[in-house]
């Protein structure tokens, strides 16, 4: 009987040990599966972040293509520490009260470009407005409004919750983000109650380096486009320059021709003045009749030439009198020629 009890105890101990080992193995398998799922989720998130960053950096364009130092600063971004590691930061708030006509701001530091900001907002009471503003570091523009929402209920899938995410690119980082909860109501009893959870994911170092390379390639394309446009403008300017030079040459030739003509006219004028001076000295009466004062020529009326055998009577031209006829007597008309009558019989023939 004693041996039977010992055997049963050993059997129980063995079964308990097998159960414990099975639970340990089961727990290890679950943990491995969770780690695998987390790794897959991390890889998917890394790929999504990398694709989004590549798209954003591919469309990057420097603010000033003429200043090389400024362009290089925008390409490189902030310096990366040697011990830098992409980390996740969380900012939470529960039952935050925003009174009527006021704004509650939540500051969040974003040190690196390519940072993903995911947030979840729960509404407890009354609608409110939400703004996300990036206050850039010194040396750049003061602020950039990343997103602005209308009243909360118009954008949330559920009635009391809203989820979204934004990417802070190279044009907005490093900066200080501010989540602003605006209470547009006026009465004191209409106070907004809101809860939020914000997750900030900094990009890993390989993504930062890849982003620099992508921005450098984008700047190179922008410089090539700008150079091509400048070449086209230069070609047009050269064409306009050649056209204007031809016009200038034409004007110079015309001016030279007109100058010679003016010189010739002046020489001719001086010659005629000398001739008139000589005439004044020799025959002053002829000169006075031919050239009045100020050496101006006058138009003289010449009476029209009369036809032969005509006389002027009271300003009218009339035929002159024939021999044997008084001057005032009109000349008789010439006699009419007598017509020859032809017999009717001759006409018929």
């Amino acid at each position: 009987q004693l041996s039977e009890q010992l055997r049963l105890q050993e059997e129980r101990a063995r079964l308990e040990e097998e159960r414990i080992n099975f639970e340990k193995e089961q727990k290890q398998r679950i943990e491995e599966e969770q780690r695998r799922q987390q790794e897959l989720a991390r890889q998917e998130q890394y790929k999504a972040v990398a694709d989004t960053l590549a798209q954003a950096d591919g469309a990057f364009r420097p603010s000033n293509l003429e200043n090389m130092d400024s362009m290089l600063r925008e390409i490189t971004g902030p310096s990366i520490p040697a011990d830098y590691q992409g980390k996740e930061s969380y900012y939470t708030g529960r039952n935050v009260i925003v009174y009527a006509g006021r704004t509650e701001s939540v500051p969040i530091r974003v040190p690196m470009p390519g940072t993903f900001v995911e947030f979840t907002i729960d509404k407890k009471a009354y609608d409110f407005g939400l703004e996300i503003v990036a206050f850039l570091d010194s040396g750049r523009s003061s602020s950039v409004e990343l997103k602005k929402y209308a009243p909360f209920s118009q954008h949330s899938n559920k009635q009391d919750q809203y989820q979204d995410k934004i990417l802070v690119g190279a044009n907005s980082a490093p900066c200080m983000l501010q989540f602003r909860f605006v209470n547009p109501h006026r009465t004191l009893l209409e106070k907004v109650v809101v809860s939020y959870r914000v997750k900030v994911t900094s990009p890993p170092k390989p993504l930062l380096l890849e982003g620099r390379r992508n921005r450098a390639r984008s700047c190179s394309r922008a410089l090539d486009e700008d150079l091509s446009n400048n070449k086209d403008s230069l070609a047009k300017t050269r064409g306009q320059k050649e056209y204007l030079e031809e016009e200038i040459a034409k004007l110079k030739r015309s001016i030279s021709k007109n100058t010679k003509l003016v010189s010739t006219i002046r020489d001719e004028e001086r010659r005629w003045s000398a001739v008139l001076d000589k005439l004044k000295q020799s025959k002053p009466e002829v000169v006075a009749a031919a050239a009045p004062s100020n050496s101006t020529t006058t138009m003289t009326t010449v009476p029209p030439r009369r036809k032969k055998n005509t006389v002027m009577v009271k300003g009218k031209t009339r035929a002159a009198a024939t021999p044997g006829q008084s001057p005032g007597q009109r000349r008789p008309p010439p006699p009419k020629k007598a017509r020859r009558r032809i017999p009717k019989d001759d006409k018929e023939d």
Side-chain angles (χ1 to χ4, degrees), residues 251-284:
L251 289 175
K252 285 182 178 179
R253 290 193 295 269
S254 177
I255 290 172
S256 177
K257 182 179 178 181
N258 292 332
T259 304
K260 292 179 180 179
L261 182 60
V262 169
S263 178
T264 304
I265 293 173
R266 286 178 178 175
D267 294 340
E268 189 71 14
E269 183 180 1
R270 285 194 293 269
R271 189 176 67 82
W272 279 106
S273 298
V275 171
L276 289 176
D277 291 339
K278 290 180 180 180
L279 289 175
K280 284 180 181 178
Q281 294 175 1
S282 60
K283 298 179 180 180

Side-chain angles (χ1 to χ4, degrees), residues 49-114:
V49 171
D51 293 341
T52 307
L53 283 177
Q55 184 177 3
D57 293 332
F60 173 78
R61 186 176 180 85
S63 58
N64 189 0
L65 290 173
E66 298 178 358
N67 191 341
M68 187 61 65
D69 294 335
S70 174
M71 184 170 61
L72 289 177
R73 283 196 299 269
E74 292 180 7
I75 291 173
T76 56
S79 60
I80 304 174
D83 57 347
Y84 172 81
Q85 292 180 356
K87 296 181 180 180
E88 295 180 353
S89 303
Y90 294 90
Y91 301 84
T92 58
R94 292 184 179 179
N95 299 329
V96 179
I97 298 176
V98 185
Y99 293 96
R102 296 187 180 181
T103 300
E104 180 70 19
S105 298
V106 180
I108 297 173
R109 179 64 185 170
V110 178
M112 290 292 174

